Amino acid sequence: MKTWMLGLALIVGAAHAAPLKPVRAVEGITEYRLPNGLQVLLAPDASKPSTTVNMTYRVGSKHENYGETGMAHLLEHLIFKGTPTHRYVMAEFAKRGFDFNGTTWTDRTNYFASFAANPENLKWYLGWQADAMVNSFIARRDLDTEMTVVRNEMEMGENSPGTIVFERLLGVMYQWHNYGKSPIGARTDVEQVDIQRLQAFYRQYYQPDNATLIVTGKFEPAQTLAWIEASFGKLKKPVRQLPKLYTLDPVQDGEREVVVRRKGGTPSATAGYHVPPAAHPDYAAVELLTGVLGEAPTGRLHQRLVEQQRVAASVSAFSTAFAEPGVLLFGADAQPGADPQPLSKALVQVLESVASEPINEQELERARTRWLNRWDKLFGDPQQVGNALSEAIAAGDWRLFFLVRDRVKQIPLAEVQRVATERLLPANRSLALYVPTEQPQRPPKPETVNVAAQLDTFKPAAAAAAVAAFDTAPLAIEAKVQRLQLPSGARLALLPKPTRGGLVQGRLQLRFGDADSLRGQRSVSDLLAALLDEGTRSLDRAALRDRMDALKMELQVGAGGDSVILAWSTTREHAAAAAQLALQMLREPRLDAAVFEEQRNVALAGLDAAKSEPEQLAPNLLEQLRRQFPAGDARNTRPFDEVGPALKAVTLEQVRDFHRRHYGADQLRLALVGDVDAAAVQAAVTPLLNDWRAELPPQRLTRPWAELPAAEKTIATPDKQNAMGVVALSLPVKEGDAEFVPLMLANYILAENTDSRLWSRIREREGLSYGTFGHIDWNAHEPHSVWEFGAIFAPQNRPRVEKALREEFERAAKDGFSAQELANAKRALLAARALARAQDGGLASALQSQADLGRTMQRSAEVDAALQAATLEQVNAATRKYLKPAAMQFVWAGDFK
């Protein structure tokens, strides 16, 4: 007995030697912190002879990863399945007369019990909570038996139209954040949960440093604190680091809507708006807006929808006090059998008229008084206080319970009006309609597929015959090319070569007009090009599509100021017929009136979309700065505001007349590459080309040298997250000049590849851009080529991108490049050119271009040789001579605030 008394004295003495000191106290609630991180809140109130204990863990559905939805809620169930020392928890609760439960929400999970004030019960419950925190079974056997219960809870929610509407609406409102997923979880995740992942989730989050213990009601604080220290103090402080969550949804950029159809229930409309987190100063206004707008019978929605318009039977309002941006919801139920569409329109009209019909003082003070009255009532109930503090903890700090109250007391009308005006916007709205449907039509339910089982009966076809190797050396290719010029002026270049599957690539260019005849005709020629694959005289649109399918023919059409290009793919057995069909489209287009209007509308829609895009606006304005020809000239790129009126003014008769006068085989260039029968193709196309001449013979449009002044312009593109900068520099050089190859190499080193100076600095080292580019648009005839550069980037990064561009231009012009850079560029360019010659589509394009310029693959061989022979002195001399930053034109397009 003396020994026992001595031990007790030592324990009491130790406790008195180091008492747990309060961290802070707010209005009768005192906070303590155990060394292991457990936060403790004590709120004694002897006025009510009951005690409530609430354990809140800062883990909810937002912490779940892919395949883990519902995991926090599953843990809530399994915690009640006991520990090695507390086997039958719920039975013990019943014996002790506890009113208990556990709940899971987005940011937290809590467990609470209320009981008649009784020290023994309090001590036991604290001991169980400490044990459950780290020693719960979380066992497979318990999961299996509890699964039916969890499913039943899930099914109960599925039976509730209100619950389903809420889930679907949040799923629409949140694009990335886990707030868009219901805490109950996906049925497949819940039913197939991996027990080891669930146990890891438990060990991660059920730890003292991630929990707050709240005791409210009648209890003796010092004794209770000693019990807490005795039961929880022995738990180790975890060494793991909790993951930091950072996902936020972008600003909503337009109305969203979801329709739910289920059997039974009442038609309803619910409007949701994104709002700040509970800790944000504006959240007090959100709370008050629920009363101003949604309170019955004095709120605007009740007065107008229920009393005046009689389109609703009832209305409601609700806001989520989340730790991260939440939602403000307004709902209205229609009369049974009513259409919810009119109700939804009326609901939205009342809510979003708050800017034009400002809130008045009477509305605000009525809502404020009711809110504060409810707060006072809640604070006077120890059982409710614990749950309220739990929600504040989930939102970030228990003191938010008081801070939000103070903000509600103090917020002026102007601030409430500001928040309402900023938030109750169409672009911030998501709408959910519930439509009771007697027999909802459902597609088959989703299911996974056992891929291995599907392949059990798969019988592969015989392997295709091996294809002979193809030599990509230019002169080896030229030895196989068959070239032909027809009396009409048309030129053919055919390259028979073996291909896998007998594939054939075709490309055709038709040049038309001259500077005078094409003036002011760009919209006419563009619409004609758009109509070429929309039917021929003998085949309407559908029949032409069927014919192309029969020929295994995929076709693209491209239009330029003085030419049109058709490119297609087919197979050996259809090569001649496909080439013949392409020529028929050119020579005998159907030019149907209805299709003409359709294509005009397509062009106008594309133009309208381009008008706000930085990637379209910047190059377009750059071309305006570089304009050197009179208005209407086909060589000009038109500003977007001129294109729309021009398109609208075009008539079908103008298109037909343009075709009649300008289309002919005079300067038609046709190339085919692949497993092609050259003789068959020639026989098929020659009759269509021999006698086909344009009324107005085409004359090449020249682009002579012109000194263009330096310039810099900026275009504002509001609400665009990406920006673009483009740069141009005129070069008095043409393809084939002495500086052609040195400048080609200089461009490659400076800007053309993912090892270039611009890319390496702007993307790799400074991380400012998804990509940079650089190329030279070579003029094959006159010494007037254009060196172009550009980058895309976030608008706020423009100063750094511009600085990098200018500094790299200056560095290259001043210091040139290194021998290693040149060696790398030579090797890469030669490899890229060889690769291009290995691609049949690229070869067809090259042969078509050679036919137009009167060249052969000999020219390609000469360029390869010049690349091999180019010296560092030549490259640096050309760079110093022509790379002149002071002569450049710069255009920036973006939302530069």
Side-chain angles (χ1 to χ4, degrees):
M1 180 65 74
K2 289 181 181 179
T3 304
W4 180 85
M5 291 296 291
L6 178 60
L8 178 61
L10 290 172
I11 293 171
V12 172
H16 283 299
L20 201 61
K21 294 182 179 180
V23 176
R24 59 178 59 87
V26 178
E27 299 186 31
I29 301 175
T30 306
E31 176 186 343
Y32 301 87
R33 182 78 66 166
L34 269 61
N36 59 17
L38 178 70
Q39 184 183 53
V40 179
L41 302 179
L42 300 184
D45 182 356
S47 66
K48 191 173 181 180
S50 65
T51 306
T52 298
V53 182
N54 185 307
M55 175 63 81
T56 297
Y57 293 96
R58 296 175 188 85
V59 59
S61 57
K62 81 173 181 185
H63 299 89
E64 297 161 347
N65 292 317
Y66 187 79
E68 294 181 349
T69 62
M71 196 170 276
H73 177 245
L74 277 176
L75 279 182
E76 176 216 313
H77 279 253
L78 293 183
I79 290 296
F80 291 110
K81 291 298 183 178
T83 71
T85 54
H86 292 85
R87 301 284 299 199
Y88 305 106
V89 178
M90 289 192 179
E92 190 67 29
F93 289 171
K95 291 176 185 177
R96 295 173 182 271
F98 286 2
D99 178 12
F100 71 95
N101 206 345
T103 66
T104 306
W105 194 219
T106 55
D107 300 301
R108 57 91 187 136
T109 305
N110 65 14
Y111 303 86
F112 50 89
S114 295
F115 43 87
N118 179 309
E120 197 278 328
N121 278 344
L122 175 57
K123 180 181 179 183
W124 182 90
Y125 188 77
L126 292 172
W128 170 72
Q129 281 286 6
D131 192 24
M133 181 178 287
V134 295
N135 295 317
S136 292
F137 288 124
I138 317 299
R140 179 82 252 177
R141 64 179 184 276
D142 293 327
L143 180 63
D144 292 341
T145 58
E146 192 68 11
M147 187 59 67
T148 302
V149 177
V150 174
R151 282 199 201 98
N152 190 232
E153 186 177 354
M154 187 178 290
E155 290 152 1
M156 182 172 59
E158 285 287 323
N159 277 0
S160 168
T163 300
I164 293 302
V165 166
F166 180 70
E167 288 183 3
R168 299 297 185 269
L169 182 56
L170 261 64
V172 167
M173 295 185 73
Y174 288 100
Q175 182 179 3
W176 303 110
H177 199 286
N178 267 2
Y179 284 165
K181 297 180 175 65
S182 170
I184 199 71
R187 179 180 285 268
T188 51
D189 285 0
V190 172
E191 292 179 343
Q192 301 182 60
V193 64
D194 185 314
I195 189 64
Q196 292 181 336
R197 289 177 72 179
L198 185 59
Q199 291 167 343
F201 194 83
Y202 165 68
R203 290 190 294 269
Q204 174 106 316
Y205 291 105
Y206 278 60
Q207 295 288 344
D209 66 342
N210 195 44
T212 300
L213 177 67
I214 309 164
V215 185
T216 61
K218 186 177 180 179
F219 61 92
E220 203 288 304
Q223 182 185 60
T224 301
L225 200 57
W227 287 337
I228 292 171
E229 288 187 89
S231 56
F232 288 93
K234 61 189 177 184
L235 304 182
K236 293 181 180 179
K237 184 175 183 177
V239 295
R240 61 88 180 91
Q241 294 292 320
L242 290 171
K244 182 180 179 181
L245 305 184
Y246 41 78
T247 299
L248 288 178
D249 268 34
V251 173
Q252 187 169 322
D253 50 11
E255 301 90 326
R256 301 173 185 173
E257 184 173 323
V258 60
V259 178
V260 180
R261 299 181 186 273
R262 293 286 181 98
K263 185 176 176 65
T266 301
S268 68
T270 308
Y273 300 86
H274 295 276
V275 293
H280 194 284
D282 286 352
Y283 185 73
V286 174
E287 287 281 336
L288 289 169
L289 285 172
T290 63
V292 169
L293 298 169
E295 187 82 39
T298 55
R300 290 189 180 185
L301 290 176
H302 183 89
Q303 290 183 343
R304 300 190 186 180
L305 304 186
V306 178
E307 296 182 7
Q308 297 172 16
Q309 301 178 32
R310 298 181 181 275
V311 293
S314 63
V315 297
S316 61
F318 167 69
S319 63
T320 57
F322 286 162
E324 292 160 37
V327 297
L328 173 59
L329 305 179
F330 298 96
D333 290 340
Q335 297 293 343
D339 181 356
Q341 284 285 0
L343 174 61
S344 70
K345 292 178 182 178
L347 173 71
V348 167
Q349 194 280 326
V350 173
L351 295 172
E352 294 175 11
S353 66
V354 71
S356 58
E357 299 180 53
I359 299 164
N360 60 49
E361 285 285 357
Q362 182 182 21
E363 290 177 305
L364 175 59
E365 292 310 317
R366 183 185 293 123
R368 195 195 314 266
T369 297
R370 288 179 177 171
W371 194 96
L372 292 171
N373 287 345
R374 288 169 181 156
W375 191 96
D376 289 339
K377 181 180 179 182
L378 185 153
F379 192 47
D381 185 335
Q383 187 171 352
Q384 291 193 56
V385 166
N387 288 332
L389 290 173
S390 178
E391 299 306 329
I393 291 163
D397 193 294
W398 65 273
R399 292 169 293 170
L400 289 173
F401 177 59
F402 299 99
L403 180 61
V404 173
R405 176 205 60 188
D406 294 345
R407 286 173 171 172
V408 167
K409 283 183 179 179
Q410 298 162 8
I411 190 168
L413 175 61
E415 285 297 286
V416 177
Q417 180 63 41
R418 174 186 62 79
V419 173
T421 303
E422 289 177 352
R423 298 290 174 170
L424 300 180
L425 298 171
N428 193 37
R429 180 211 319 141
S430 296
L431 187 67
L433 300 183
Y434 179 70
V435 183
T437 305
E438 187 61 28
Q439 293 184 328
Q441 298 296 309
R442 301 276 188 264
K445 72 175 185 178
E447 59 181 23
T448 58
V449 175
N450 184 328
V451 178
Q454 298 298 314
L455 291 170
D456 282 346
T457 58
F458 170 66
K459 303 296 183 186
V467 177
F470 179 68
D471 188 348
T472 60
L475 297 183
I477 294 174
E478 182 59 32
K480 297 181 175 67
V481 176
Q482 301 178 27
R483 303 180 188 275
L484 178 70
Q485 178 155 340
L486 301 179
S488 62
R491 296 174 184 171
L492 279 62
L494 308 177
L495 174 57
K497 62 183 290 287
T499 59
R500 188 177 181 85
L503 293 179
V504 177
Q505 300 290 333
R507 186 176 174 93
L508 181 159
Q509 180 186 49
L510 183 148
R511 290 194 180 276
F512 48 73
D514 57 28
D516 291 333
S517 69
L518 295 177
R519 185 169 291 111
Q521 297 295 298
R522 181 59 190 266
S523 290
V524 178
S525 65
D526 283 353
L527 284 172
L528 173 55
L531 291 167
L532 293 176
D533 61 349
E534 298 293 338
T536 68
R537 291 179 193 170
S538 58
L539 299 170
D540 64 18
R541 178 158 54 175
L544 177 59
R545 182 67 260 179
D546 290 342
R547 177 62 176 156
M548 291 170 64
D549 289 341
L551 298 178
K552 298 182 179 181
M553 183 181 184
E554 293 292 334
L555 174 77
Q556 295 85 40
V557 179
D562 65 342
S563 67
V564 63
I565 291 176
L566 276 63
W568 66 92
S569 62
T570 184
T571 55
R572 175 181 174 83
E573 65 270 25
H574 303 300
Q580 193 175 53
L581 184 61
L583 289 172
Q584 287 171 345
M585 293 182 212
L586 277 175
R587 187 166 183 173
E588 302 172 353
R590 194 172 189 85
L591 306 182
D592 179 83
V595 179
F596 166 71
E597 291 299 335
E598 178 186 306
Q599 291 301 315
R600 189 210 305 270
N601 290 336
V602 169
L604 289 169
L607 173 67
D608 190 60
K611 285 180 179 179
S612 60
E613 296 301 325
E615 296 88 343
Q616 301 287 337
L617 288 167
N620 185 266
L621 180 57
L622 184 66
E623 290 301 317
Q624 309 316 309
L625 296 179
R626 297 182 52 76
R627 179 181 288 194
Q628 67 182 91
F629 300 105
D633 195 288
R635 290 162 288 191
N636 293 333
T637 297
R638 297 170 296 170
F640 289 143
D641 58 4
E642 292 181 8
V643 178
L647 282 169
K648 293 176 182 178
V650 176
T651 66
L652 181 57
E653 186 51 43
Q654 286 178 309
V655 173
R656 289 170 174 163
D657 182 65
F658 188 96
H659 180 265
R660 181 173 58 253
R661 298 173 65 224
H662 289 92
Y663 272 38
D666 310 59
Q667 288 193 20
L668 185 148
R669 313 305 185 214
L670 171 64
L672 277 86
V673 175
D675 194 359
V676 58
D677 182 338
V681 170
Q682 183 177 336
V685 302
T686 299
L688 288 168
L689 296 175
N690 268 340
D691 61 346
W692 185 32
R693 294 180 180 273
E695 288 185 11
L696 296 175
Q699 297 292 325
R700 186 177 60 80
L701 301 183
T702 62
R703 296 178 183 272
W705 171 256
E707 194 78 43
L708 299 174
E712 183 165 6
K713 295 286 185 181
T714 298
I715 313 170
T717 60
D719 201 32
K720 292 296 180 179
Q721 301 296 311
N722 192 43
M724 187 172 197
V726 289
V727 186
L729 173 67
S730 294
L731 300 173
V733 181
K734 71 176 185 295
E735 183 183 343
D737 283 354
E739 285 109 344
F740 166 59
V741 166
L743 285 172
M744 184 191 304
L745 286 161
N747 174 69
Y748 194 86
I749 297 169
L750 181 60
E752 192 178 345
N753 70 96
T754 55
D755 190 38
S756 68
R757 288 188 175 184
L758 294 185
W759 179 281
S760 296
R761 175 172 176 177
I762 295 173
R763 161 133 185 186
E764 299 299 333
R765 293 203 302 273
E766 299 189 22
L768 300 175
S769 171
Y770 178 76
T772 63
F773 66 86
H775 70 271
I776 300 177
D777 183 8
W778 291 107
N779 189 326
H781 301 282
E782 294 88 28
H784 189 179
S785 301
V786 183
W787 205 343
E788 296 183 345
F789 309 92
I792 58 173
F793 49 89
Q796 65 269 22
N797 289 332
R798 172 184 166 178
R800 295 177 63 192
V801 171
E802 182 172 359
K803 180 174 183 287
L805 284 172
R806 292 184 183 277
E807 287 180 355
E808 292 303 324
F809 293 154
E810 294 287 354
R811 182 163 76 99
K814 178 184 176 183
D815 302 330
F817 306 109
S818 70
Q820 186 61 57
E821 286 177 310
L822 176 60
N824 292 344
K826 284 184 177 184
R827 184 170 55 252
L829 266 176
L830 287 166
R833 288 170 60 82
L835 178 63
R837 292 192 295 267
Q839 311 302 317
D840 290 354
L843 263 181
S845 178
L847 292 177
Q848 170 258 299
S849 177
Q850 290 170 5
D852 188 45
L853 296 170
R855 296 174 178 170
T856 68
M857 293 300 295
Q858 175 67 36
R859 175 60 180 154
S860 182
E862 292 168 357
V863 172
D864 281 1
L867 283 168
Q868 291 272 24
T871 67
L872 185 62
E873 291 73 19
Q874 290 172 332
V875 173
N876 286 339
T879 303
R880 284 191 294 270
K881 181 177 180 181
Y882 295 112
L883 184 59
K884 299 177 180 179
M888 292 176 172
Q889 297 87 31
F890 287 77
V891 174
W892 309 94
D895 190 2
F896 305 118
K897 295 185 176 68

